[in-house]
Amino acid sequence: MTSRLLMPFRSAAPGPVPAEDAPGSTRPTAILDLEHPLTVAFADRVRRAARGAVTDRERLRTAHGIIVSAVRPVYSVDDLRRVSRTLRLGRGSCSQRMAVLEAVARSLGVPTRVRGLLVDGAFWYPRFPGLRPLVPEDVLLAWPEFLLDGAWVPVADLFAGHGTRGSGTDGPGADGGAPAGGGGFTNSGPETLFEAVARTAVDWDAPPACAGSAPCDLSARLRADLGRFASRDELFARHGQTLCLAARTLAEPVLGRWSAGAGAEAKGGESRAAA
């Protein structure tokens, strides 16, 4: 029971999927405003925290942990928000916090790009149990990739093989990352995709990457692969945001302050009370 009423009208077909080898960049963009004092200061904070790191992957893991602790997860719907504003507010959506991670990566000299994913809106039902008719039919997700050791690494693979993922025994890592735990990402409760990548595998293409492991396989939720773009700015310029301007204007003052998981937790509390 998803809706198209709040989504932008797309007058043109998406066209051919951009090339797999779409170039990334370390340059600033309107969203990734690397030269803003707040962004510069945050990147410097990561550099200090990751002083003992040997690889760029380790530095990005450290950055991820700091973002988890410094930027509160909310349901903001403005995908074009500048990184500096997200840092100033101290809160942001999953997409906005991924943009912060991209900005840090570029500040550290690591090229980034994004993969455009159209994800089934029903995937977000657990977060909005009483508002299903208003959930968009599909959600446009900018999925970051980082150029590490000559290969493009999706954000979900930054923690691949890391000791804090999937052991079910570790607490928060020394870099502030999310605690490990069993099970796949359920898109419910306070954990968002941004936190989940540090704890469990997240794969939009399984199989074969997940080797048949259901907990990490989100391929059934993927409606369309829009390809790779040199920046999230280019992705949203071409395909628009998930919600139309009027819907974003009305929703942002509320959803931009609504903590992730609050709706589902409230609904669960009502159910338990009724029982």
Side-chain angles (χ1 to χ4, degrees):
M1 191 186 291
T2 51
S3 171
R4 291 204 64 84
L5 295 178
L6 303 181
M7 298 174 63
F9 174 73
R10 305 184 193 277
S11 59
V17 173
E20 177 74 19
D21 60 352
S25 176
T26 58
R27 295 191 298 270
T29 69
I31 299 174
L32 310 179
D33 53 347
L34 311 185
E35 298 171 347
H36 190 282
L38 288 176
T39 310
V40 171
F42 192 82
D44 287 342
R45 176 182 174 183
V46 171
R47 288 189 184 92
R48 292 193 299 270
R51 190 172 291 116
V54 176
T55 66
D56 286 330
R57 184 187 293 261
E58 291 172 335
R59 295 181 185 93
L60 293 180
R61 288 172 176 169
T62 298
H64 179 276
I66 294 174
I67 296 167
V68 166
S69 63
V71 184
R72 179 169 62 92
V74 295
Y75 295 125
S76 175
V77 293
D78 182 9
D79 284 319
L80 300 186
R81 177 190 286 177
R82 296 175 184 271
V83 164
S84 60
R85 177 166 173 77
T86 297
L87 292 173
R88 180 171 64 82
L89 293 174
R91 61 178 185 268
S93 66
C94 186
S95 178
Q96 291 162 353
R97 292 188 295 159
M98 287 185 181
V100 175
L101 184 59
E102 291 173 57
V104 171
R106 291 191 178 204
S107 297
L108 296 177
V110 177
T112 76
R113 67 183 186 185
V114 298
R115 181 183 178 190
L117 304 174
L118 278 181
V119 180
D120 185 358
F123 184 47
W124 275 265
Y125 277 174
R127 297 198 174 275
F128 305 100
L131 300 173
R132 290 186 179 185
L134 298 180
V135 174
E137 185 176 51
D138 49 52
V139 174
L140 179 57
L141 183 63
W143 197 242
E145 296 182 346
F146 307 89
L147 188 60
L148 300 173
D149 299 323
W152 285 104
V153 177
V155 63
D157 290 345
L158 285 179
F159 289 84
H162 194 225
T164 61
R165 173 185 276 185
S167 68
T169 58
D170 296 331
D175 58 5
F185 178 65
T186 61
N187 208 7
S188 62
E191 182 183 63
T192 72
L193 272 170
F194 188 80
E195 285 90 12
V197 296
R199 179 186 63 81
T200 186
V202 175
D203 201 306
W204 301 102
D205 300 304
C210 273
S213 175
C216 80
D217 181 4
L218 298 182
S219 59
R221 300 295 189 175
L222 184 61
R223 285 180 175 268
D225 182 352
L226 302 177
R228 271 79 176 178
F229 296 80
S231 70
R232 61 179 48 235
D233 303 60
E234 291 187 12
L235 169 64
F236 293 122
R238 180 167 181 179
H239 293 282
Q241 299 185 62
T242 295
L243 298 180
C244 64
L245 176 59
R248 294 198 307 271
T249 301
L250 292 172
E252 182 61 28
V254 176
L255 296 182
R257 296 176 179 272
W258 189 355
S259 295
E265 289 172 356
K267 185 69 174 181
E270 293 172 3
S271 300
R272 288 190 295 272

